[in-house]
Amino acid sequence: MNYSFNNINWPNFLFIASTTLAALIGVPWYIMTYGWGDSVIWSMAFFYYIATGLSITLGYHRLFSHKSFSAKWPVKLGTLMFGAAAFENSAMSWAADHRRHHKHCDHDDDPYNALEGFFHSHVGWIIFKNSDPDYSYVRDLQKDKLVAWQERNYVLIGALVGFAVPAFIGWSWNGMAGALGGFFIAGVGRLVMVHHFTFLINSLCHTLGSQPYSNKSTARDSAITALLTFGEGYHNFHHTFQHDYRNGVKFYHFDPTKWMILLLSKIGLTGNLRRVPDEKIQQSRAKHQQEKLDEKMSARSIQLPVSVQDQLNAAKDKLEEAYRHWEELEAEYAKAMNRKIKESKDKIHELQVEFAVAQERFREAFDEWKRSHQLALTQFA
Ligand SMILES: [Zn+2]
Ligand SMILES: [Zn+2]
């Protein structure tokens, strides 16, 4: 990336610079002048922070870019309007860049290639000239009427929803002081925070954390970045299984975006939540851990004791076999369900039972593999 003066993307640079300056000056000035007392302003700022942040993670990211669930129009409209107020481009351009990021992760064609450094993936790619969004990635979204409407009116929607509305609400509540609070706290200050916390998904989520599923890309899992990014911190999982509506796959993983999608599904506003089966996730995890162990052993030229190695090999084979069996039955079961009218009830039931047994067998094999893997790891202590 060329970081020279001549290569500055002026509209983006001026927008980022002016909002940052306005927040750095306006927020302390407002607090010093009017104090912390106006709970309406602070509640509105909090609401705006959550609404615009979630519109990026739930709307722009998991819905429009990855189609990891389907949504009724109120969810689409809401995330498109508050997403515009996060000023991170239109949903269509955002998705075009993001799909390219997944396809060419860590390579020249990745618009926010993390291998070009933290600054580049965080904000450098925005404020310096970069390739334009490639719309061939978003032909499906071009056909979506709401997305296309937002694409045409993105700046106006952003300015109205992001700045004018909070200033107006503040003004109706408390005159000039309220208008200034609405503008500086819920408008500009909130915007700069949402910018940097969501930018962390491209920078910190590719720098900090572990790689339990794959090291094919720089994407990493971290509970800390999850806390900062509305749950997007489980980025290694996300890059491995990008169509899963969850990023934090365990129920206790901090992922408010996932919880919101689930909550909206309970009231019928979202549906078809895509989940990668546990068996697939565990198998991919086991495979990657095994590769890491092999690399570690050859790097240190260590050999495991014969008994440990034998146990590990047997567990690996058993797991592989259990997975293959599960995979076959899963496909067969899905096929039968798709044409269930033709299948007799008995046949479906039979498959169900067989499938449950295969699941159980996989779970057992996985536990056994985990134990022998642990045992192998202790040899390095
Ligand atoms: Zn990424
Ligand atoms: Zn993604």
Side-chain angles (χ1 to χ4, degrees), residues 26 46 57 60 91 94 157 159 178 200 203 218 232 236 256 263 307 309 317 332 363 368 376:
F46 181 71
T57 60
Y60 277 34
W94 200 104
I157 302 169
L200 286 177
S203 52
T218 50
E232 304 272 40
N236 190 257
L263 188 74
S307 63
Q309 186 67 59
D317 291 346
E332 207 177 318
R363 257 193 301 275
E368 200 177 315

Side-chain angles (χ1 to χ4, degrees), residues 61-62 65-66 94 98-99 101-102 201 232 235 238-239 242 247:
H61 186 211
R62 300 193 202 180
S65 302
H66 292 300
W94 200 104
H98 191 71
R99 288 179 185 176
H101 165 64
H102 275 271
I201 303 165
E232 304 272 40
H235 208 57
H238 174 62
H239 269 266
Q242 55 169 305
N247 273 18

Side-chain angles (χ1 to χ4, degrees), residues 33-105:
T33 312
Y34 299 104
W36 295 89
D38 195 337
S39 57
V40 170
I41 295 296
W42 293 101
S43 313
M44 178 161 68
F46 181 71
F47 168 79
Y48 256 84
Y49 178 70
I50 304 290
T52 52
L54 275 183
S55 290
I56 295 296
T57 60
L58 182 150
Y60 277 34
H61 186 211
R62 300 193 202 180
L63 175 62
F64 296 119
S65 302
H66 292 300
K67 308 227 143 160
S68 64
F69 60 98
S70 61
K72 294 263 170 69
W73 71 265
V75 176
K76 285 187 176 181
L77 184 65
T79 54
L80 287 168
M81 287 178 61
F82 282 98
F87 281 97
E88 297 191 7
N89 232 332
S90 66
M92 210 185 284
S93 320
W94 200 104
D97 281 338
H98 191 71
R99 288 179 185 176
R100 196 149 68 102
H101 165 64
H102 275 271
K103 186 156 182 218
H104 300 284
C105 193

